Amino acid sequence: MLNNIRNIGIIAHIDAGKTTTTERILYFTGLTHKIGETHDGESVMDFLDVEKERGITVASAATKCVWKDCSINIIDTPGHVDFTAEVERSLRILDGAVVIFCAKGGVEPQSETVWRQADKYKVPRMAYVNKMDAVGADFLMVVDQIKNRLGAQPLVLTLPVINEDTFSGIIDLISMKYETYTGVLGDEIIKTEIPAEYQEEADKWRLVLLEKLAENSIELMELFYNNEEIPDTLLIDEARKATIAGNVVPVICGSSYRNIGVQMLLDSVVQFLPSPLDVQAAKAIDLNSEEEINITADTCDFFSALVFKIVSDRHVGKLAFARIYSGSVKAGSYVFNSSKGKKERIGRLVKMHANHREEIDEVSAGDIVAFIGLKDIGTGDSICNENRPVLLESIDFPEPVIQIAIEPRTQSDQNKISDALAKISAEDPTFKISYNKETGQTLLSGMGELHLEVISERLAKEFKIDINIGQPQVAYKETITQSAEQVTRYVKQTGGKGQFAHLVLRLEPGDGFEFVNKIVGGVIPREYIPAVEAGIKQALEEGVMKGYPVVNVKATLLDGSYHEVDSSEMAFRVAAMQSTRDCLKKANPKLLEPIMRLEVTSPEEYTGGIISNISNRRGRMESMEMQGGTQIIRGFVPLAEMFGYSTSLRSITQGRAGFSMEFSHYEERTVSIKE
Ligand code: GDP
């Protein structure tokens, strides 16, 4: 039943307790019988070795669990901002999210980044304030920050009871009962009356809750103003509607580590977060009519699915995780990949649990599954039936902005490396591989230092390749600023058959890469034109300033000539490369560098120091704003100046500021690069 499916993500700033909470969820839903603590490196979700070691969650694995007749697919999302692309792609296929905040740290800058991404995809969410047992935990402070920093409407559903510094239980403002958790792992829930000293506060927050929900419900408003009893089910229904509409964010509290409140969290996921029926239709192009259509799980009967993650598995090969948007598909059937225009067979369908796979025969709309057997498959591909081809809106990925050079230590590793890199890049569309001919090094480009570190560690640990790793470097680009023309004659007469190619090329600033062929009268035969284009592209891969790729160039082949005997594709290709290089030099080339959008959150007294540090880093300010006693400073800074920023921010602010940084755009670099 579609009503009984929840596709949710658990989003959290690193260290807020996402792994611990997920572990507890899997325990209480009966999947794992032993709770693995993250600090022991035994987490069930983090199945990649590297993640275990770092205690962070990188890959978006989908895990299925069952709670009270409801099937919950948990799409794991990474907490580090280097992996925002992972977050984006999981948000795209989720129906709802649980955002975990630390009761001490509250809303951190990175949580804000992810919150904004979730806003972009209109993902209904609820907040879980974890670590209520920690010294300094402050539930209402976090509620306040959700309102003031995130601009959301918190719907407070619980209050923590803290007795002499010990977090002992939770007041449920819907049932108006006090819950304590006993038994070995908090399996047993005892509901009692609200402790007398908390009654007044509970009444106050209950009133806030009723007033907020009554705003949109006439039924509730009437009961409320007539002082009549309000059934819990009505409150839950109204809270659910308001959450799904994005008007409120239910906020509950707990301590996953102490096993307090996790069952309530699961109940809340079922009660307040949307099922596949409750969410907006997915947009798609119907390839038969070429019209845009809306796909909903209950009204469309044709099969459509979107692949959101590829994982290579040692045992079964490629696992393509997909969300089924409509219809159903059986294991063993042929499907059409409408993004690639290819028909392929799905060998098997599996659901991933935390520590085992479940093979299933058929999967239907609203669900999440891994396809096994698709060979030519990538993240963002649409899968459908050949007779009803549809193309679902794909997923946008940001550009990689940082590079490291790697070199295998031995020849045999050299051979293994390209295979391993191809596997990793199939899983991760934000990671790119290139090869520097001059130095013989392989260059890995990614979203941030941590992203590339994780990849190089995977090469070493998972693929057992011994490599030397260079320092991270900025992924610069080159472009041209004026138009230029070049006449190139490539003539070689050495002994037997010579080589001949002659062409006239114009390069000018453009948008992306464009090639225009203006040859008339066959002065260069048609069969050589693709070779000219390939030569131009090849030369653009390595610019003439510092060898970075050249972008935004329009190339026009204006004229040329050929020789009956000596001309060949190769001659034209070489000539085009030479011509492009010469022409680039004349076209006033410029270096482009990635500019990052920076956001620093800090106590006010450090503002001056932070701003002058940003300007020393060639940054420019965008805005400054006070929110609940905290200064938020936003600006743009070249990535090249941001290495070691966290250390210097820590020393300026005595460790009291946080920051987040994401790629914004490329811009001309006006100072020269230090060699
Ligand atoms: P993640 O980075 O968000 O996945 O966070 P983890 O689940 O790995 O937790 C980070 C640290 O916080 C670990 O040392 C956990 O043991 C600890 N932790 C998690 N939940 C709680 C909690 O409820 N209370 C306390 N005191 N510590 C917690």
Side-chain angles (χ1 to χ4, degrees):
M1 291 297 289
L2 281 171
N3 269 334
N4 292 340
I5 295 182
R6 299 288 176 277
N7 294 313
I8 62 155
I10 300 184
I11 301 173
H13 181 267
I14 208 147
D15 244 25
K18 188 174 66 183
T19 313
T20 310
T21 307
T22 310
E23 293 286 345
R24 298 309 194 263
I25 289 177
L26 298 177
Y27 169 76
F28 287 115
T29 54
L31 280 173
T32 51
H33 296 287
K34 172 171 165 276
I35 296 186
E37 301 299 344
T38 45
H39 44 235
D40 297 337
E42 271 193 30
S43 157
V44 182
M45 281 292 268
D46 295 348
F47 50 79
L48 295 177
D49 290 345
V50 175
E51 293 178 16
K52 262 194 202 162
E53 197 151 285
R54 292 175 167 269
I56 56 170
T57 314
V58 179
S60 267
T63 308
K64 185 196 151 173
C65 56
V66 176
W67 182 251
K68 296 186 179 166
D69 298 337
C70 210
S71 181
I72 304 177
N73 292 310
I74 301 176
I75 320 297
D76 196 14
T77 52
H80 195 277
V81 77
D82 275 6
F83 305 106
T84 47
E86 291 264 358
V87 180
E88 290 248 349
R89 74 166 137 199
S90 42
L91 288 174
R92 171 79 164 69
I93 53 98
L94 296 174
D95 295 329
V98 175
V99 184
I100 302 184
F101 296 101
C102 166
K104 270 194 324 187
V107 177
E108 312 248 4
Q110 278 177 21
S111 331
E112 289 192 49
T113 309
V114 181
W115 193 273
R116 277 199 301 274
Q117 285 172 310
D119 281 340
K120 182 169 120 192
Y121 291 100
K122 297 194 171 66
V123 176
R125 67 220 89 131
M126 56 173 291
Y128 172 64
V129 180
N130 185 35
K131 299 200 191 184
M132 280 311 307
D133 62 311
V135 180
D138 188 343
F139 177 65
L140 292 177
M141 170 201 78
V142 184
V143 170
D144 208 50
Q145 290 180 344
I146 291 174
K147 188 169 175 177
N148 294 321
R149 287 207 195 152
L150 303 176
Q153 276 297 332
L155 188 70
V156 177
L157 297 179
T158 63
L159 289 177
V161 169
I162 296 172
N163 282 328
E164 292 170 7
D165 290 345
T166 306
F167 176 46
S168 46
I170 302 171
I171 295 170
D172 177 348
L173 295 169
I174 290 181
S175 66
M176 285 305 264
K177 290 276 186 254
Y178 174 49
E179 292 193 1
T180 48
Y181 295 75
T182 60
V184 191
L185 292 162
D187 304 49
E188 217 176 300
I189 304 169
I190 297 173
K191 296 190 185 188
T192 51
E193 294 308 313
I194 294 171
E197 66 272 29
Y198 278 88
Q199 191 65 50
E200 198 180 322
E201 205 193 354
D203 289 340
K204 180 184 131 197
W205 282 99
R206 164 90 173 181
L207 195 62
V208 173
L209 172 66
L210 295 180
E211 281 176 345
K212 199 158 271 172
L213 290 179
E215 278 171 21
N216 292 310
S217 163
I218 294 172
E219 190 184 355
L220 185 61
M221 203 180 328
E222 283 178 351
L223 293 174
F224 178 55
Y225 287 109
N226 294 331
N227 256 335
E228 284 177 52
E229 191 168 324
I230 299 168
D232 292 358
T233 48
L234 178 63
L235 284 181
I236 293 170
D237 275 2
E238 293 303 336
R240 176 182 181 81
K241 273 191 233 156
T243 309
I244 291 171
N247 296 333
V248 298
V249 175
V251 189
I252 61 170
C253 64
S255 164
S256 299
Y257 187 68
R258 306 257 170 229
N259 304 304
I260 303 178
V262 180
Q263 295 96 321
M264 193 187 271
L265 170 62
L266 280 162
D267 284 342
S268 306
V269 166
V270 173
Q271 286 166 339
F272 308 120
L273 293 183
S275 79
L277 290 179
D278 299 315
V279 292
Q280 291 179 344
K283 296 231 171 318
I285 307 282
D286 180 333
L287 293 179
N288 286 339
S289 65
E290 296 197 343
E291 274 172 15
E292 192 176 289
I293 53 169
N294 285 327
I295 295 189
T296 51
D298 51 341
T299 55
C300 303
D301 54 4
F302 53 88
F303 166 60
S304 68
L306 183 76
V307 172
F308 65 92
K309 172 99 186 163
I310 308 280
V311 174
S312 4
D313 181 282
R314 249 167 280 182
H315 306 292
V316 294
K318 260 190 209 172
L319 289 167
F321 284 89
R323 156 109 196 207
I324 317 296
Y325 280 92
S326 62
S328 63
V329 70
K330 285 199 165 79
S333 50
Y334 279 89
V335 291
F336 184 63
N337 178 338
S338 52
S339 309
K340 300 244 156 70
K342 266 199 175 156
K343 203 168 149 180
E344 282 206 75
R345 184 169 170 271
I346 295 178
R348 288 187 279 159
L349 297 172
V350 292
K351 290 225 172 162
M352 304 298 283
H353 296 264
N355 48 10
H356 73 282
R357 301 190 183 94
E358 175 197 359
E359 290 235 2
I360 53 171
D361 296 331
E362 186 170 12
V363 62
S364 316
D367 219 340
I368 284 172
V369 76
F371 296 137
I372 298 180
L374 298 178
K375 288 186 189 69
D376 190 8
I377 185 84
T379 302
D381 284 0
S382 294
I383 308 290
C384 51
N385 276 333
E386 197 175 18
N387 58 6
R388 188 73 165 79
V390 291
L391 196 57
L392 286 149
E393 212 178 350
S394 193
I395 308 172
D396 290 339
F397 294 109
E399 294 243 10
V401 286
I402 197 161
Q403 287 181 332
I404 47 169
I406 56 165
E407 269 171 347
R409 294 218 174 99
T410 66
Q411 186 56 43
S412 74
D413 281 340
Q414 173 76 59
N415 302 338
K416 282 200 280 184
I417 206 161
S418 48
D419 202 32
L421 288 175
K423 272 201 181 122
I424 298 177
S425 82
E427 290 172 20
D428 181 354
T430 60
F431 156 64
K432 302 241 153 61
I433 310 155
S434 52
Y435 186 70
N436 186 326
K437 260 197 301 208
E438 278 166 32
T439 61
Q441 288 169 322
T442 303
L443 292 173
L444 310 184
S445 317
M447 303 308 301
E449 286 176 77
L450 184 62
H451 185 200
L452 293 177
E453 264 175 52
V454 168
I455 288 168
S456 12
E457 275 187 46
R458 282 189 69 184
L459 286 175
K461 299 252 159 67
E462 199 179 315
F463 296 93
K464 312 257 182 298
I465 301 173
D466 215 8
I467 45 169
N468 291 321
I469 299 167
Q471 285 296 315
Q473 285 168 0
V474 173
Y476 292 102
K477 289 184 177 173
E478 297 181 13
T479 193
I480 52 172
T481 51
Q482 67 189 47
S483 134
E485 286 185 16
Q486 179 69 30
V487 181
T488 301
R489 296 173 68 85
Y490 178 66
V491 189
K492 283 234 155 85
Q493 297 298 187
T494 42
K497 186 173 176 286
Q499 304 225 36
F500 182 92
H502 162 221
L503 48 86
V504 183
L505 182 71
R506 181 169 67 215
L507 297 183
E508 58 200 305
D511 187 12
F513 171 74
E514 193 188 347
F515 174 71
V516 181
N517 173 22
K518 286 242 169 93
I519 294 299
V520 283
V523 292
I524 298 177
R526 196 171 299 150
E527 69 254 40
Y528 297 143
I529 304 294
V532 172
E533 183 175 353
I536 296 171
K537 276 192 179 156
Q538 200 174 338
L540 291 178
E541 283 297 308
E542 293 162 35
V544 288
M545 297 182 71
K546 300 266 177 193
Y548 295 108
V550 187
V551 294
N552 298 338
V553 173
K554 179 177 172 188
T556 311
L557 179 59
L558 298 167
D559 198 5
S561 64
Y562 74 110
H563 184 276
E564 281 292 350
V565 182
D566 291 347
S567 281
S568 65
E569 275 183 34
M570 188 44 86
F572 271 99
R573 187 173 176 133
V574 173
M577 283 172 68
Q578 252 179 27
S579 187
T580 306
R581 278 192 215 113
D582 294 340
C583 201
L584 282 173
K585 286 182 196 144
K586 291 201 269 182
N588 198 15
K590 287 271 154 45
L591 207 58
L592 299 174
E593 64 178 341
I595 305 293
M596 309 302 282
R597 180 180 290 115
L598 174 73
E599 189 171 305
V600 185
T601 312
S602 163
E604 198 185 3
E605 62 254 49
Y606 305 113
T607 311
I610 294 169
I611 292 176
S612 70
N613 183 268
I614 291 175
S615 76
N616 287 342
R617 292 171 187 271
R618 295 192 288 120
R620 62 169 187 272
M621 297 293 301
E622 189 195 19
S623 70
M624 254 171 38
E625 138 192 25
M626 282 298 289
Q627 271 185 14
T630 304
Q631 183 75 255
I632 300 179
I633 300 159
R634 296 192 178 89
F636 294 95
V637 193
L639 174 64
E641 307 291 338
M642 292 307 281
F643 292 104
Y645 184 65
S646 54
T647 316
S648 92
L649 185 65
R650 213 176 298 135
S651 76
I652 298 168
T653 65
Q654 298 170 0
R656 294 179 61 200
F659 77 102
S660 70
M661 189 166 82
E662 62 192 8
F663 170 70
S664 166
H665 61 279
Y666 271 89
E667 202 170 279
E668 183 183 333
R669 180 170 171 120
T670 46
V671 298
S672 59
I673 297 178
K674 289 180 228 111
E675 297 292 343

